[in-house]
Each structure stands twice: as structure tokens, then as C-alpha cells.
Amino acid sequence: MTTRVAAAAPRVLRRFLCTNSASFSSPSFPFIPSPPSGAAPVPARPTAEPNPNLFVSGLSKRTTTERLREEFAKFGEVVHARVVTDRVSGYSKGFGFVQYATIEEAAKGIEGMDGKFLDGWVIFAEYARPRPRLGQHVNNATQYGRQ
DNA sequence: AGTGAGCGC
């Protein structure tokens, strides 16, 4: 169902799935701040910039790292893939990461796998956020979410 | 919990 898909979708994609934006496109709608003309093209919704690493969500709990790798390998050379699992229970958390050799392959991986079915679930593939170094603290200003 | 949004050690 579309509602299930929308519920499982990341926030960035929900605008795509919920296309009833007619009531929100009214100029008199008070909660939509009109973007200043000539403003910077920085997106209000934080989307990670294109990079070879993908964040894949909406996975079935049964989907394994091997399965993830072989499905995404149809669209490019996968240098690394991992389904994130709970360390004590060993069960999948329902998301994972796929790293391609190049950004071009990552783009094809998104086009080929985003919104597609994998083990019975609609999965979502997008560019992963850069992971902070191990044991290194991050500056708040350089993080995603707020500029 | 096979709990359904999410960003990994």
C-alpha cells in the first residue's frame, strides 16, 4: 500500500510519495515560509552529497549482508557492504550500507535499487552521510541537519 | 519482539 511505503520512507522521500501538495501550495498558507528570491540553493532537507557510499533502509530483517551485496552488485562494483545488526542479539536492524568503487556506480545503484523490493520489503537507497572518524569528536557546525 | 524509523564501531 502507498501508506505503508510512505511510512517506511525516509523524510526526504515522503514529499515524493505524498503528492497531495495542492492544499500546501497556496500562497496564503501561513506555515510555509516563502524562500527569499536569490537565496542560496542550499536544501532545507539535509541530503548527503553524492559519494560512493550508500545508506540503505527499509530492509527485511532476513536480508543479509551477502544478499545486500549481490543485489547492489548488479549496478556496479561493490567494495563494501554491511547490514547493521545488533551486536548482542545478532539480528538485523533493518538498514545497511553499500559502498561502490565510484560515485557513478553509486548513482546507478540508487536508480536501480531505490524503491525496489528486496526480500518482500520496499527498500530505500540514498547517499550515506560521512561517518565521523573513530575516537574523534566532531564539530557541531560541520554536521548535517543544521547549517 | 519479526515492535518498521533510521546513518555503521
Side-chain angles (χ1 to χ4, degrees):
Chain A
M1 236 359 220
T2 310
T3 52
R4 252 182 85 166
V5 173
R11 287 183 299 269
V12 193
L13 301 177
R14 291 196 185 175
R15 268 177 47 90
F16 255 4
L17 299 168
C18 308
T19 49
N20 55 338
S21 54
S23 55
F24 293 93
S25 60
S26 169
S28 58
F29 196 77
F31 297 150
I32 301 294
S34 50
S37 26
V42 46
R45 330 265 171 172
T47 305
E49 59 187 77
N51 70 92
N53 203 25
L54 299 185
F55 171 68
V56 185
S57 59
L59 294 177
S60 164
K61 305 289 188 187
R62 310 171 302 213
T63 300
T64 66
T65 288
E66 297 77 29
R67 184 94 178 186
L68 189 69
R69 172 187 288 270
E70 67 186 34
E71 287 302 312
F72 279 78
K74 297 175 180 177
F75 305 94
E77 178 190 352
V78 176
V79 297
H80 184 250
R82 156 139 94 253
V83 167
V84 175
T85 57
D86 185 82
R87 274 218 298 264
V88 292
S89 70
Y91 285 121
S92 167
K93 288 186 176 178
F95 66 91
F97 296 88
V98 174
Q99 185 175 19
Y100 283 100
T102 66
I103 301 182
E104 293 80 24
E105 291 169 301
K108 292 183 179 181
I110 292 180
E111 293 302 315
M113 291 303 294
D114 183 49
K116 301 301 171 60
F117 279 88
L118 181 54
D119 290 334
W121 286 77
V122 177
I123 70 171
F124 298 93
E126 57 192 292
Y127 295 112
R129 301 187 186 122
R131 192 155 66 115
R133 305 279 101 173
L134 255 62
Q136 182 176 350
H137 292 280
V138 246
N139 192 347
N140 300 2
T142 60
Q143 283 297 88
Y144 281 80
R146 301 296 176 201
Q147 46 175 331

